Amino acid sequence: MDMFANLALGFSEAFAMQNLLYCFFGVFVGTFVGVLPGIGPLATISMLLPLTFYVPPTAALVMLAGIYYGAQYGGSTASILMNLPGTPAAAVVCLDGYPMSKQGRAGVALFLTTVASFVGSTIGIIILTAFSPTLASVALAFGPADYFSMMLLGLIAAAALAQGSPAKGISMVLLGLALGMVGTDVQTGQQRFTFGIPQLSDGLSLVAVAMGLFGVSEVITSIMRMRDVNKQKQERITMRSMLPKREDVKQSWPAMLRGSGVGSFFGTLPGAGTTIASFIAYAVEKRVTRTPQRFGKGAVEGISAPEAASNASAQTAFIPTLTLGIPGDAVMALMLGAMIIQGIQPGPRLVTEHPELFWGLIASFWIGNVMLVILNIPMIGLWVRMLRIPYGILYPSILLFICIGVFSVNNSAFDVLLVMIFGVVGYVMVLLKFEPAPLILGFILGPLMEEHLRRAMLLSRGDAMVFLERPISAGFLSLTALLLGWAVLTMVRQQRAARRAAPVAAE
């Protein structure tokens, strides 16, 4: 009965006119940025962070969350029509979506991905609703040492599971931790790493760092990548062309359920994210089918399972973020930052101290996903036409909004300079194949980890063994050590493979 009472509270909050409007705005913008290749939810949420200063907490989080899961819906549109993924998670949809488009079945593919997105999101929301309060109640028993160890595990997992070299991921986490230390120490009043610059006395602005790393750098990268995108022709999509055959439905619905299960599991793991979930769901479908030769040639399971997995993962990613205060990826880290900006401490007490925000956010997921079905099926023609927007107009406008947004937070030209600096740094990271996501995780979690570390050491009177004496903390540290060992083993294997490949390439 408590769950139904909580959901009733949540829907009463979510159906408030202001929250409904922000929910619609979020899912609309999310679909828009998902359709357009090269922007994505990460850059968009970074650009809209300044807006969260001027709206109530529930409305702000509803909007940002809508952008996140709305982008998962729209990401497959360009994958199917143009073989260009709108989001990283939609990359796997290209494998079978684009062949279906060339066969004249783009409408069917778009319809099935929308249905798969809704099914995956629904299952993910059910799991989020059922398990979040239980996990939060268990987490209330955590002490400062447990929180520190858990956050350390989350950071190492995010770094070790990031794309590319684990060493690069860990180095980005360490850089993020160092950037998070800039500013005035709250306990001693000493300034750290400010180098005599008065604007750094309050630390680096999360908005400026996020906008630079994900907004400006993404624009620079996309300009290089999207020069010839608008020259491609898009197929005309009608409602009649979107109707699937009976065989399509028969083949796709079990794939949607399996993909939803895969995505729900990987969404709760730190560092996994929607991209890994969608690729694993595709691999599972290829393994269980009796006709794997159809994959890559327009198999409906090849689009239904990954799409369901990415959307289920997007919903269950909120479980550790809301209940434990541990973001699983960079988008969740920005959501965490938005809550901190609003003066709300994410974690197990969020459920009891801010029930209207917690349950209102979950209720908005149901409402937002219904809105997305309405937006994606009848209005698919609108999203197809969005692909014709000249990027020469779109990207300068984005840069202008970034500068206006970051300046509006503190009325500081220094923050605009920081955005440009971190934009260049982010672009260099892309060129050198460093993932910026672990950096933002370290930057946001660093101050929280430092606070719990100091508190644990004060309570134990300086005895560092407290981290091993507490069973929960010891368990987290053991998992962290295993992950570090796996990362070292992976690096050794990569180096050996590179050495073996070098003589072959020379021949």
Side-chain angles (χ1 to χ4, degrees):
M1 289 299 293
D2 288 341
M3 182 176 293
F4 291 108
N6 291 328
L7 284 175
L9 171 66
F11 277 106
S12 67
E13 183 76 10
F15 274 117
M17 184 55 65
Q18 184 183 39
N19 293 332
L20 277 177
L21 290 174
Y22 277 101
C23 182
F24 178 79
F25 176 76
V27 298
F28 184 88
V29 172
T31 306
F32 175 75
V33 300
V35 168
L36 293 174
I39 302 178
L42 197 53
T44 307
I45 290 175
S46 302
M47 288 185 282
L48 291 179
L49 270 180
L51 185 61
T52 61
F53 283 83
Y54 308 105
V55 297
T58 303
L61 294 177
V62 163
M63 177 189 68
L64 297 180
I67 293 171
Y68 181 42
Y69 60 81
Q72 308 306 318
Y73 273 75
S76 58
T77 302
S79 298
I80 293 168
L81 297 178
M82 304 168 64
N83 204 28
L84 288 168
T87 60
V92 71
V93 178
C94 295
L95 300 177
D96 285 279
Y98 190 61
M100 288 184 70
S101 179
K102 291 196 292 185
Q103 296 164 11
R105 306 189 67 213
V108 175
L110 291 169
F111 178 84
L112 289 176
T113 54
T114 300
V115 174
S117 297
F118 183 77
V119 171
S121 295
T122 301
I123 292 175
I125 297 169
I126 291 172
I127 293 173
L128 172 64
T129 306
F131 290 102
S132 290
T134 304
L135 184 59
S137 62
V138 171
L140 286 172
F142 286 10
D146 304 323
Y147 270 113
F148 172 81
S149 301
M150 182 174 61
M151 290 181 180
L152 181 63
L153 172 62
L155 285 179
I156 297 300
L161 297 175
Q163 297 178 358
S165 168
K168 290 182 177 180
I170 293 172
S171 66
M172 287 294 97
V173 165
L174 294 175
L175 179 58
L177 291 173
L179 293 175
M181 294 176 67
V182 174
T184 305
D185 187 345
V186 176
Q187 295 191 8
T188 64
Q190 295 292 319
Q191 292 194 358
R192 305 182 298 187
F193 306 109
T194 58
F195 304 103
I197 302 173
Q199 291 90 342
L200 292 179
S201 59
D202 290 331
L204 292 168
S205 166
L206 169 63
V207 176
V209 174
M211 280 188 169
L213 287 177
F214 302 113
V216 176
S217 66
E218 189 64 39
V219 168
I220 298 172
T221 306
S222 299
I223 290 172
M224 305 298 180
R225 193 172 57 220
M226 302 297 172
R227 289 174 179 173
D228 299 323
V229 167
N230 295 113
K231 298 178 182 178
Q232 300 187 33
K233 293 183 179 179
Q234 284 86 49
E235 177 184 341
R236 178 178 172 82
I237 308 296
T238 63
M239 291 296 293
R240 183 182 295 274
S241 70
M242 297 176 70
L243 297 176
K245 298 176 183 177
R246 181 177 297 179
E247 186 66 20
D248 295 331
V249 176
K250 184 178 178 181
Q251 291 174 340
S252 61
W253 73 263
M256 293 180 193
L257 295 179
R258 285 190 291 266
S260 300
V262 170
S264 298
F265 172 75
F266 281 95
T268 59
L269 300 179
T274 57
T275 304
I276 293 176
S278 61
F279 274 91
I280 290 180
Y282 186 87
V284 168
E285 289 307 307
K286 201 170 181 179
R287 181 64 62 88
V288 302
T289 185
R290 296 179 180 177
T291 54
Q293 64 273 12
R294 293 187 302 108
F295 282 74
K297 300 176 182 177
V300 292
E301 305 100 302
I303 61 173
S304 299
E307 196 67 18
S310 66
N311 282 269
S313 175
Q315 301 294 346
T316 55
F318 284 92
I319 295 177
T321 304
L322 295 177
T323 59
L324 301 176
I326 304 297
D329 57 18
V331 175
M332 289 296 104
L334 292 180
M335 294 290 295
L336 196 77
M339 283 188 271
I340 294 172
I341 287 171
Q342 293 279 356
I344 295 170
Q345 183 64 47
R349 297 190 182 278
L350 179 67
V351 182
T352 54
E353 294 179 358
H354 302 278
E356 69 291 340
L357 185 148
F358 179 82
W359 292 105
L361 186 60
I362 291 178
S364 75
F365 295 164
W366 295 101
I367 299 169
N369 278 279
V370 173
M371 289 179 178
L372 282 164
V373 172
I374 297 171
L375 283 172
N376 277 270
I377 294 180
M379 299 176 64
I380 191 63
L382 170 65
W383 305 119
V384 173
R385 286 193 290 273
M386 290 289 186
L387 291 170
R388 297 171 185 164
I389 297 176
Y391 286 87
I393 297 174
L394 184 65
Y395 287 131
S397 303
I398 291 173
L399 288 175
L400 176 63
F401 289 134
I402 286 175
C403 293
I404 293 173
V406 74
F407 181 80
S408 68
V409 174
N410 296 315
N411 293 327
S412 171
F414 181 78
D415 286 350
V416 179
L417 177 63
L418 278 181
V419 166
M420 296 304 143
I421 292 173
F422 278 102
V424 174
V425 170
Y427 180 61
V428 172
M429 287 181 184
V430 172
L431 294 179
L432 298 178
K433 297 184 179 178
F434 281 85
E435 285 286 320
L439 187 152
I440 203 72
L441 286 170
F443 178 72
I444 292 175
L445 287 183
L448 297 175
M449 289 180 65
E450 182 182 8
E451 178 185 344
H452 289 297
L453 174 64
R454 284 181 165 180
R455 191 176 299 169
M457 295 301 289
L458 284 172
L459 292 174
S460 65
R461 298 188 178 184
D463 186 5
M465 288 300 294
V466 67
F467 296 100
L468 296 177
E469 291 171 352
R470 291 185 62 87
I472 297 174
S473 176
F476 286 137
L477 289 178
S478 301
L479 290 174
T480 303
L482 289 173
L483 269 175
L484 284 172
W486 176 83
V488 171
L489 184 62
T490 301
M491 287 187 287
V492 171
R493 288 177 176 175
Q494 288 175 349
Q495 289 176 355
R496 287 178 179 175
R499 289 171 186 169
R500 291 171 188 167
V504 176
E507 294 175 3

